[in-house]
Amino acid sequence: MPEQANKLLVIDDQPDLCEFISEAATGLGFESLAVTEPDEFRRAVQDFQPTVVVLDLQMPGADGIELLRYLGERGSKAQVLVASGMDQRVLATAQQIGKAQGLTMLGALQKPILLADLELMLRQCLRADSPINPAVLEAALDTNEIQVHYQPKATRVAPNRWIVEGVEALARWHHPSLGFISPARFIPLAEKNGLIRRLTEQVLEISLAQVRAWDATGLELSVAINLSPQLLNDLAFPDQVARMAAQVGADARRIIFEVTESAAMFDPGTTMDVLTRMRVKNFGLSIDDFGTGYSSLKQLYLMPFSELKIDTSFVRDIFTHEDARTMVETMVLLAHKLRLTACAEGVESREVLDFLDSVECDRAQGYFIGRPMPGDALERAVREWNANQG
Ligand code: C2E
Ligand code: MG
Ligand code: MG
């Protein structure tokens, strides 16, 4: 992949501020361009191809949010900094909007902008020569280096009786020389570089083959696949996954898609369309890491989810923070009232599982039941766990 230069584009209606930002950027080694009009900005996005954009949210006669949307629609890979004299909440919301448009939001600059803050932020934007870059990830996808591990999800079939009936598929990347690379690093990399769809397809394909292999041994399991927010903007996605499932004869009822809350809660338009069509095709839909995103409870009842996954951060704390216990209990109740299945993540001990049993949580996942592991090891682990449930 050819190395891209560091190019900064700034738009602000105040020419002196433009100059200030532009000069600071040049001093750090950026090639920079400053504009004051939206039309100039749009042209520059196309012709100049900035790697960093500094955007003033409030300009007379122009709307910064609209320009964010423009960047999003063009699939801009630029890192975006928003600037405004308005309060932090407005800046924070603008960042959420940018993220939901698939943009890489780097942060906010509160006006008046201090040179030190500006330089600190711009330094973070300078391309570091990371060995884990899009080209390496793309090669990994080409050579099937991405593997899938499976973590058991137990279902409470009766009081104190938890049977593993499903798994969550988790992508694993072991690079021959760089070693094990965490999904926390390569998933965002895939998302930012247009590789997430391919990655998801590979994970789905591998998982479906694995489900069939387990079937052949008499072990019937459902499989949960993590879906990146971006794929919810892809209207063709539901048909594509339905085709993939049909090709291997997999029943949609045995496939659950896990979506992170922050993403699912935004832009109800396209997201709702995609999610609803998935449900109509009988796929399960789970809202992942519930309680950690920018949730709107209203969206929760509007969106067609079938499962609510309670985030690890609450589950982990149930014996140290009474409030965490209350949250878990309440989330289970909320799920049930909304006719959703509740699944707790991060179950690391018998005590936690017993607590979940007492509040009638439907599913549990965590190291206590089983760590993520390769398909053959999982088969043995599940048989052993289930045999011990009486
Ligand atoms: P997630 O979907 O919330 O997955 C659960 C994460 O919690 C996994 O981390 C799992 O290993 C970890 N975990 C499970 N049980 C326990 C426990 O008892 N204690 C603790 N401390 N951790 C536990 P992992 O595999 O590192 O994945 C991190 C995240 O990366 C996932 O969070 C998911 O959001 C994302 N991810 C993984 N595979 C894929 C994929 O194929 N596609 C997409 N879009 N995202 C993926
Ligand atoms: Mg998940
Ligand atoms: Mg989760």
Side-chain angles (χ1 to χ4, degrees):
M1 197 180 218
E3 207 200 314
Q4 265 183 294
N6 292 296
K7 289 177 165 188
L8 179 134
L9 171 65
V10 50
I11 177 161
D12 198 303
D13 60 298
Q14 291 169 267
D16 56 333
L17 199 55
C18 273
E19 200 178 319
F20 168 74
I21 292 171
S22 186
E23 269 179 18
T26 312
L28 290 172
F30 283 90
E31 188 183 333
S32 70
L33 179 65
V35 298
T36 52
E37 296 291 331
D39 285 342
E40 284 178 286
F41 177 82
R42 291 192 186 92
R43 266 199 305 280
V45 169
Q46 293 186 39
D47 302 341
F48 180 62
Q49 300 263 330
T51 56
V52 177
V53 169
V54 181
L55 188 91
D56 183 12
L57 285 180
Q58 273 176 306
M59 295 171 283
D63 178 342
I65 300 291
E66 206 164 278
L67 294 179
L68 270 182
R69 206 176 308 126
Y70 175 79
L71 286 170
E73 279 162 5
R74 292 200 56 84
S76 172
K77 303 271 187 327
Q79 308 188 67
V80 183
L81 272 169
V82 285
S84 166
M86 295 185 80
D87 72 40
Q88 288 292 346
R89 286 233 308 278
V90 175
L91 286 169
T93 311
Q95 301 229 59
Q96 282 310 311
I97 294 174
K99 274 187 200 153
Q101 298 282 335
L103 297 171
T104 306
M105 300 304 292
L106 201 83
L109 289 164
Q110 177 97 49
K111 288 185 183 181
I113 297 170
L114 301 175
L115 183 63
D117 289 347
L118 177 63
E119 285 189 340
L120 191 73
M121 288 211 163
L122 293 181
R123 273 209 188 88
Q124 294 175 31
C125 304
L126 285 167
R127 273 161 195 277
D129 276 333
S130 164
I132 301 164
N133 55 47
V136 178
L137 178 57
E138 197 162 10
L141 289 168
D142 289 342
T143 55
N144 298 318
E145 230 163 70
I146 306 290
Q147 295 294 310
V148 180
H149 280 191
Y150 306 88
Q151 184 175 33
K153 261 171 119 166
T155 304
R156 182 177 181 270
V157 292
N160 262 309
R161 191 153 184 267
W162 296 83
I163 297 289
V164 175
E165 296 178 336
V167 296
E168 175 172 5
L170 294 157
R172 291 290 177 263
W173 181 14
H174 192 93
H175 186 275
S177 57
L178 299 169
F180 177 76
I181 302 164
S182 160
R185 289 186 75 182
F186 69 80
I187 297 292
L189 188 71
E191 287 175 338
K192 274 180 213 147
N193 293 280
L195 296 169
I196 193 65
R197 186 167 174 160
R198 265 190 78 194
L199 190 142
T200 309
E201 282 165 9
Q202 286 196 7
V203 170
L204 183 59
E205 217 169 316
I206 296 169
S207 305
L208 290 177
Q210 182 62 65
V211 165
R212 271 169 62 98
W214 287 325
D215 278 352
T217 71
L219 185 65
E220 253 200 41
L221 296 171
S222 65
V223 65
I225 306 284
N226 289 286
L227 263 201
S228 273
Q230 281 176 30
L231 294 170
L232 298 180
N233 287 325
D234 185 344
L235 289 169
F237 192 71
D239 284 325
Q240 195 206 347
V241 289
R243 243 188 340 264
M244 285 176 75
Q247 261 165 17
V248 296
D251 184 347
R253 282 180 189 82
R254 284 170 66 190
I255 305 169
I256 299 149
F257 289 99
E258 296 191 2
V259 184
T260 40
E261 184 184 27
S262 48
M265 290 303 120
F266 196 74
D267 179 24
T270 315
T271 304
M272 177 86 97
D273 183 312
V274 170
L275 290 178
T276 307
R277 277 162 54 229
M278 306 267 260
R279 282 294 287 146
V280 168
K281 291 175 195 298
N282 285 323
F283 292 110
L285 284 181
S286 180
I287 181 163
D288 205 349
D289 306 333
F290 185 75
T292 60
Y294 298 81
S295 60
S296 137
L297 288 169
K298 184 161 179 215
Q299 297 302 338
L300 179 63
Y301 80 72
L302 289 177
M303 299 288 183
F305 289 106
S306 51
E307 180 186 76
L308 183 157
K309 279 190 102 172
I310 303 167
D311 191 63
T312 314
S313 56
F314 301 101
V315 179
R316 202 179 41 209
D317 288 351
I318 58 170
F319 293 123
T320 45
H321 295 281
E322 203 185 326
D323 290 348
R325 204 153 56 235
T326 306
M327 292 294 286
V328 171
E329 203 173 341
T330 310
M331 284 190 261
V332 171
L333 208 69
L334 175 67
H336 289 167
K337 293 243 175 202
L338 293 173
R339 294 168 303 280
L340 305 173
T341 301
C343 177
E345 291 192 82
V347 179
E348 293 187 356
S349 67
R350 159 62 63 191
E351 290 70 34
V352 171
L353 190 62
D354 287 345
F355 170 79
L356 294 169
D357 198 78
S358 73
V359 299
E360 300 183 13
C361 187
D362 309 280
R363 287 184 193 145
Q365 180 181 349
Y367 295 167
F368 177 68
I369 299 153
R371 291 190 174 246
M373 55 193 122
D376 44 355
L378 182 114
E379 188 200 321
R380 289 189 296 275
V382 169
R383 287 188 192 283
E384 195 184 317
W385 173 274
N386 286 351
N388 285 330
Q389 295 301 301

